[in-house]
């Protein structure tokens, strides 16, 4: 006799899947970072490619492994993000890289953090169906991020980085879809 495995997704997992699917494509991200309290400003342009990841794909299986999740646990969906960033004021390449996101319940598993190459987790929620809010904590720092889909051609993002209760940086982003 064969048993059927029923996959049940939470409301949050449905929302994160829809958000990742709607975010898939190529984006031009104009970013401005404010270092606090000095107020130093950095302007960055990034070319970003986002690909939706289906449950069971090899990237999500790898992500679950590096987070030491049991083999019986499957991340429900995710996103693979690749970027190349240029400092506009200094006219030089700032960074390039990639990261993986995988969802399970109200947790996003990542293969790396904003300021670390080690795997991290973030708690997420939706303030509305088009606005994803994340909170990530590691190395005595807190990263709070809000990503908002504006129609199907734009996204806005804001990141606030805090360490020991003091805000260190605010990042604001306007992202324009280049292609789906």
């Amino acid at each position: 006799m064969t048993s059927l495995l029923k996959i049940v997704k939470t409301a949050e997992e449905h929302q994160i899947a829809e958000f990742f699917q709607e975010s898939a494509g190529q984006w031009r991200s104009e970013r401005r970072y404010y270092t606090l309290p000095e107020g130093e400003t950095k302007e960055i342009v990034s070319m970003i490619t986002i690909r939706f990841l289906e449950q069971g794909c090899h990237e999500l299986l790898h992500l679950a492994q590096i987070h030491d999740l049991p083999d019986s646990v499957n991340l429900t969906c995710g996103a693979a993000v690749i970027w190349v960033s240029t400092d506009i004021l200094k006219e030089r390449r700032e960074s390039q890289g990639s990261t993986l996101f995988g969802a399970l319940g109200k947790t996003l598993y990542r293969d790396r953090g904003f300021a670390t190459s080690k795997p991290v987790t973030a708690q997420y929620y939706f303030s509305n169906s088009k606005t994803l809010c994340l909170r990530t904590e590691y190395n005595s720092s807190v990263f709070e991020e809000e990503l908002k889909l504006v129609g199907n051609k734009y996204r806005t993002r804001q990141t606030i980085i805090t360490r020991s209760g003091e805000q260190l940086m605010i990042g604001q982003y306007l992202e324009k879809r280049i292609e789906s």
Side-chain angles (χ1 to χ4, degrees), residues 53-72:
L53 300 176
E54 297 273 350
Q55 184 175 35
C57 72
H58 70 276
E59 291 102 331
L60 290 181
L61 294 174
H62 172 71
L63 189 56
Q65 283 180 335
I66 65 174
H67 278 278
D68 295 322
L69 296 175
D71 290 341
S72 61

Side-chain angles (χ1 to χ4, degrees), residues 140-144 160-169:
S140 302
S141 295
V142 176
F143 303 81
E144 295 175 289
I160 300 171
I161 302 171
T162 305
R163 181 173 292 138
S164 302
E166 183 177 342
Q167 290 75 29
L168 300 178
M169 182 179 286

Side-chain angles (χ1 to χ4, degrees), residues 2 37 54 71 75 79 84 112 122:
T2 305
E54 297 273 350
D71 290 341
L75 299 172
V84 176
R112 60 173 294 129

Side-chain angles (χ1 to χ4, degrees), residues 16 42 72 90 138 165:
I16 195 75
K42 187 183 253 189
S72 61
K90 295 180 181 174
Y138 58 87

Side-chain angles (χ1 to χ4, degrees), residues 110-142:
R110 298 178 61 176
D111 65 340
R112 60 173 294 129
F114 184 80
T116 182
S117 59
K118 295 180 181 175
V120 298
T121 59
Q123 298 307 303
Y124 76 91
Y125 68 93
F126 285 86
S127 60
N128 63 58
S129 65
K130 301 293 183 186
T131 305
L132 171 63
C133 301
L134 304 171
R135 181 181 175 93
T136 309
E137 297 183 39
Y138 58 87
N139 296 341
S140 302
S141 295
V142 176

Side-chain angles (χ1 to χ4, degrees), residues 7-160:
I7 299 172
V8 178
K9 289 187 180 179
T10 65
E12 290 85 4
E13 289 169 333
H14 280 291
Q15 282 186 300
I16 195 75
E18 287 177 16
F19 190 89
F20 284 154
Q21 287 171 333
E22 289 181 42
S23 294
Q26 291 185 313
W27 299 84
R28 182 178 194 274
S29 179
E30 298 172 10
R31 303 168 177 218
R32 180 172 281 170
Y33 294 99
Y34 300 95
T35 303
L36 306 173
E38 300 85 22
E40 179 187 334
T41 303
K42 187 183 253 189
E43 292 189 35
I44 306 290
V45 169
S46 299
M47 302 308 291
I48 301 171
T49 302
I50 302 172
R51 186 169 46 87
F52 178 73
L53 300 176
E54 297 273 350
Q55 184 175 35
C57 72
H58 70 276
E59 291 102 331
L60 290 181
L61 294 174
H62 172 71
L63 189 56
Q65 283 180 335
I66 65 174
H67 278 278
D68 295 322
L69 296 175
D71 290 341
S72 61
V73 173
N74 284 315
L75 299 172
T76 57
C77 69
V81 180
I82 299 170
W83 73 88
V84 176
S85 300
T86 303
D87 185 319
I88 296 301
L89 302 176
K90 295 180 181 174
E91 297 181 358
R92 67 181 171 113
R93 179 166 285 171
E94 181 72 15
S95 69
Q96 67 182 44
S98 64
T99 189
L100 297 174
F101 295 86
L104 184 63
K106 294 182 179 185
T107 302
L108 272 185
Y109 292 84
R110 298 178 61 176
D111 65 340
R112 60 173 294 129
F114 184 80
T116 182
S117 59
K118 295 180 181 175
V120 298
T121 59
Q123 298 307 303
Y124 76 91
Y125 68 93
F126 285 86
S127 60
N128 63 58
S129 65
K130 301 293 183 186
T131 305
L132 171 63
C133 301
L134 304 171
R135 181 181 175 93
T136 309
E137 297 183 39
Y138 58 87
N139 296 341
S140 302
S141 295
V142 176
F143 303 81
E144 295 175 289
E145 190 166 11
E146 178 186 270
L147 296 91
K148 179 180 264 188
L149 292 165
V150 181
N152 63 359
K153 294 184 182 179
Y154 300 97
R155 292 187 347 159
T156 61
R157 292 172 51 194
Q158 179 165 282
T159 303
I160 300 171

